[in-house]
Amino acid sequence: MKCHPLGLAALLSFGLHVHAALVHVDVSSDGDIAVDVGMKPQSFSRPERGRSGQPVRTSGKTAHKLEEYQVDLDYEIHGGVLSENGKFVTFKNIPYAEPPIGENRFQDPVPIYNRAEGVNYGLVENVCPQAQVGWAPKAMEFLKDFPNAPALAKWTDPITAADYGPTQYPPKNVSEDCLTLDVVVPKSVWDNRNSRGIQAAVIAWVHGGGFVYGWKDQYGSPEGLFDAATNETEPEQNIIYVKMQGAILQSAGHFPQPNSTQDDETYTKFLELTGAKDVEALWTTDTKILQDANAKMVHNSKYGYFNFGPTIDGYYVKDLPGKVLADDFYVPALLVGHEKLDSLLFTPPWIRTTEALLDYVQELFPGVPQAVLDTIASEYQIPTDLGPQASLLAVADFFDDIAIRCNSVYLTQASEKSKQRTYHPVFRYVFNALPAIHGYDTGYTYYPSPPLIAPVDAKLAKFFQKAIVDFSRYLDPNPEGVETWQPYKSDKKKVMNMGSPSQLTEPDYTPSFGDDLMNSTLCEYWRSAPWYVAPKSKGRSSGQRLVVQDDARDTLAEEL
């Protein structure tokens, strides 16, 4: 079985950089398929890769006669399972790269070598090594108290790692052998895979989690998206395969890493916890030792922060996202938005004055210039006479700008530049429906799966899902024949409000199109991350990755 021209090969290359992803892919076949719905899973084994091996490439029909819901991926036969309701076929845990273990640990992902025997039904379910930040349970407790001003009186003392509870691990098997993805195909699309002229859109889900926590099916089933893609006039039209020219970003966040010195301190602490003396030793350290050290450091992250995350290395991450997007960077058509109270989740609840905010900024970003502190003090004035909620919301505004909201501005502006070459519409939304905190909209994306944060409104969920699938298919989130959601333009800044933007205590779920109320005047200032102290080096070669601290000077260590 082969894939759509933009199919699995493009999907896999995308997945190489994101580890696991839930993906809905468009699949077609040019071979004879035997039908045997009642088949049982067969044994599966993968041979060891030889260093001199080459990626698998085959031609012609496979010697294995494909049965129903089986796909030949060149490097293996992968089997899918029809859902109990008969609506879609799921191909679980498809490997998209060699496992990053042994010689492949800490290396760039490599293609899969050699062909596996048998049929892989994806029965082994692993998630990548991870742990939750220790402040997360405290933050969720605080958010429950936030609507009740008197309850906030208990949140006036600083929270440190000593106040955190036990380390939280995912409720699944954890392994470094975790580079897998799921493909979910509507039954109607599978049945018509040999029909000429049949096309279906692609949605690729990359889970969130601050780069320290999360897994591909954490939020539930995509069945609601499939239902949203079906209507009376197009009963067989559905979503499978990702349209590479469009992207949907929900609360596109990036919490800036402070500077290379703090990166080095994190690296040094990790070495101490593992007992390794350098990177070469880490390559051969037992996985349990590595996972325990990772869990401890992630757990002990400062409130609202993550000890690990993307950092500029001059090789894979060339520069800060805002600066990269300011260059002539190709950006596709976009559907992008954020929660009204996104960063309330990351806001320390004891910070309620300008002085306290400045002190915390200096903790997060050691060496931050005084000019930056002066800007924060003048632009994010924290009211002290309007109650604790107003004070906390003003603090959250700062974290929202530097980590989440301004990213929507940078992406929109970059897409405006790309329009000079081709049509790249940008559609913006703001999720106002309470509690409107970071991650709440995932419950709407995956409705009717049980939400992880708070209950969702069914009507708004179906509206949101319909917008997602229509944008994926047509680069237009509007229902057919209706134009209620217009593209965002520099001279006409309009957004779709998911719920009234004026709601305070009682949730409102009515979608409405209106003015963008976001104050983006400071986004250009934060684009260059003025608190960030760039590594001082003479440049990097392709074999140089790691920044290490040596006598208070940033130097480079060659990759061993």
Side-chain angles (χ1 to χ4, degrees):
M1 181 171 180
K2 296 181 180 178
C3 304
H4 191 274
L6 285 179
L8 199 55
L11 173 65
L12 297 187
S13 64
F14 176 77
L16 289 176
H17 304 294
V18 299
H19 288 192
L22 176 61
V23 186
H24 319 281
V25 182
D26 156 72
V27 184
S28 60
S29 172
D30 63 355
D32 296 327
I33 304 294
V35 178
D36 183 8
V37 178
M39 63 185 179
K40 297 181 178 180
Q42 303 175 27
S43 61
F44 171 78
S45 62
R46 181 180 304 288
E48 291 292 327
R49 174 177 70 87
R51 291 184 60 86
S52 61
Q54 295 294 322
V56 174
R57 294 290 183 269
T58 62
S59 60
K61 293 185 177 181
T62 175
H64 176 98
K65 184 175 177 60
L66 295 178
E67 301 183 21
E68 183 70 306
Y69 312 132
Q70 289 184 357
V71 184
D72 189 340
L73 300 176
D74 283 346
Y75 55 84
E76 73 174 29
I77 304 294
H78 204 92
V81 176
L82 183 66
S83 62
E84 292 184 1
N85 60 15
K87 287 186 177 181
F88 51 89
V89 183
T90 300
F91 298 85
K92 294 280 291 181
N93 300 309
I94 300 173
Y96 58 78
E98 285 286 338
I101 57 179
E103 341 175 299
N104 293 333
R105 178 187 278 174
F106 304 151
Q107 300 296 311
D108 292 339
V110 297
I112 295 177
Y113 291 78
N114 300 324
R115 184 177 176 87
E117 299 178 356
V119 179
N120 181 5
Y121 280 88
L123 301 180
V124 177
E125 182 83 41
N126 290 334
V127 300
C128 296
Q130 59 184 272
Q132 183 60 284
V133 287
W135 52 265
K138 292 285 186 182
M140 296 307 296
E141 184 182 351
F142 157 65
L143 291 172
K144 290 180 181 179
D145 288 341
F146 182 77
N148 181 16
L152 296 177
K154 70 179 183 181
W155 295 98
T156 56
D157 294 329
I159 299 172
T160 67
D163 303 309
Y164 299 165
T167 303
Q168 293 187 345
Y169 295 93
K172 294 195 176 190
N173 296 328
V174 175
S175 171
E176 291 182 69
D177 184 359
C178 62
L179 301 189
T180 62
L181 53 83
D182 296 349
V183 173
V184 186
V185 182
K187 177 66 161 52
S188 60
V189 176
W190 174 267
D191 290 341
N192 289 286
R193 63 194 179 279
N194 289 322
S195 301
R196 291 185 178 276
I198 298 296
Q199 295 183 349
V202 171
I203 295 180
W205 171 257
V206 183
H207 67 76
F211 299 95
V212 299
Y213 192 77
W215 53 94
K216 55 184 167 55
D217 51 0
Q218 180 179 4
Y219 297 103
S221 165
E223 182 175 354
L225 293 171
F226 293 149
D227 290 342
T230 304
N231 56 50
E232 294 180 358
T233 59
E234 296 177 314
E236 301 300 328
Q237 179 70 24
N238 225 313
I239 50 172
I240 329 170
Y241 189 60
V242 81
K243 281 189 177 179
M244 303 305 289
Q245 73 267 31
I248 302 170
L249 296 95
Q250 298 178 216
S251 296
H254 171 261
F255 212 116
Q257 296 299 303
N259 55 49
S260 58
T261 297
Q262 191 155 329
D263 292 339
D264 298 339
E265 291 173 355
T266 300
Y267 166 63
T268 300
K269 181 64 175 178
F270 193 78
L271 291 180
E272 291 175 358
L273 291 175
T274 59
K277 70 174 184 177
D278 52 27
V279 172
E280 186 174 39
L282 288 174
W283 282 338
T284 57
T285 299
D286 182 79
T287 186
K288 186 178 186 307
I289 295 175
L290 292 181
Q291 291 185 37
D292 287 346
N294 175 75
K296 185 176 181 65
M297 292 192 67
V298 169
H299 180 79
N300 290 340
S301 299
K302 284 186 176 67
Y303 192 104
Y305 196 68
F306 304 88
N307 275 339
F308 294 115
T311 187
I312 298 172
D313 62 0
Y315 174 80
Y316 184 71
V317 181
K318 300 291 186 181
D319 209 335
L320 293 163
K323 295 175 71 174
V324 172
L325 289 170
D327 295 332
D328 190 17
F329 187 85
Y330 176 85
V331 173
L334 295 175
L335 174 60
V336 59
H338 59 270
E339 306 277 353
K340 181 180 180 180
L341 305 177
D342 248 320
S343 284
L344 197 59
L345 173 66
F346 311 107
T347 299
W350 65 91
I351 298 180
R352 304 182 187 185
T353 66
T354 301
E355 292 73 17
L357 174 59
L358 296 180
D359 288 343
Y360 200 69
V361 168
Q362 292 178 83
E363 286 184 37
L364 289 180
F365 309 128
V368 56
Q370 183 61 44
V372 176
L373 296 175
D374 293 342
T375 298
I376 296 173
S378 63
E379 299 293 343
Y380 299 92
Q381 297 182 14
I382 314 300
T384 57
D385 57 348
L386 300 178
Q389 292 157 318
S391 300
L392 289 165
L393 288 175
V395 175
D397 275 344
F398 165 72
F399 290 107
D400 248 333
D401 278 355
I402 68 170
I404 299 177
R405 288 191 306 208
C406 283
N407 291 327
S408 295
V409 175
Y410 306 147
L411 288 162
T412 301
Q413 292 174 347
S415 185
E416 285 280 343
K417 293 180 181 179
S418 297
K419 285 181 181 178
Q420 298 174 6
R421 295 189 292 269
T422 184
Y423 177 61
H424 284 168
V426 177
F427 296 89
R428 296 264 293 269
Y429 71 86
V430 179
F431 226 97
N432 300 300
L434 295 176
I437 60 174
H438 190 73
Y440 175 54
D441 54 354
T442 58
Y444 287 82
T445 305
Y446 283 93
Y447 175 84
S449 296
L452 297 183
I453 295 179
V456 304
D457 178 73
K459 187 175 181 179
L460 180 59
K462 293 178 180 179
F463 176 86
F464 190 52
Q465 290 176 328
K466 180 64 174 172
I468 290 174
V469 298
D470 280 350
F471 179 82
S472 300
R473 294 189 293 190
Y474 314 121
L475 301 184
D476 185 348
N478 291 287
E480 184 178 3
V482 180
E483 189 177 356
T484 57
W485 192 341
Q486 299 170 14
Y488 192 97
K489 298 179 181 180
S490 58
D491 60 346
K492 193 175 183 181
K493 299 179 179 180
K494 299 284 187 176
V495 300
M496 180 61 71
N497 288 297
M498 304 297 175
S500 170
S502 61
Q503 58 186 289
L504 297 175
T505 56
E506 294 298 321
D508 176 272
Y509 303 107
T510 306
S512 61
F513 194 67
D515 293 334
D516 182 9
L517 302 179
M518 173 184 168
N519 182 1
S520 59
T521 56
L522 281 173
C523 287
E524 197 59 37
Y525 178 75
W526 295 125
R527 182 192 292 274
S528 62
W531 63 82
Y532 182 85
V533 182
K536 300 174 183 177
S537 68
K538 296 180 180 180
R540 301 172 186 270
S541 69
S542 60
Q544 295 173 322
R545 310 286 179 80
L546 180 67
V547 179
V548 297
Q549 191 71 21
D550 180 18
D551 296 329
R553 296 189 305 272
D554 288 326
T555 59
L556 296 173
E558 293 241 348
E559 185 179 55
L560 299 175

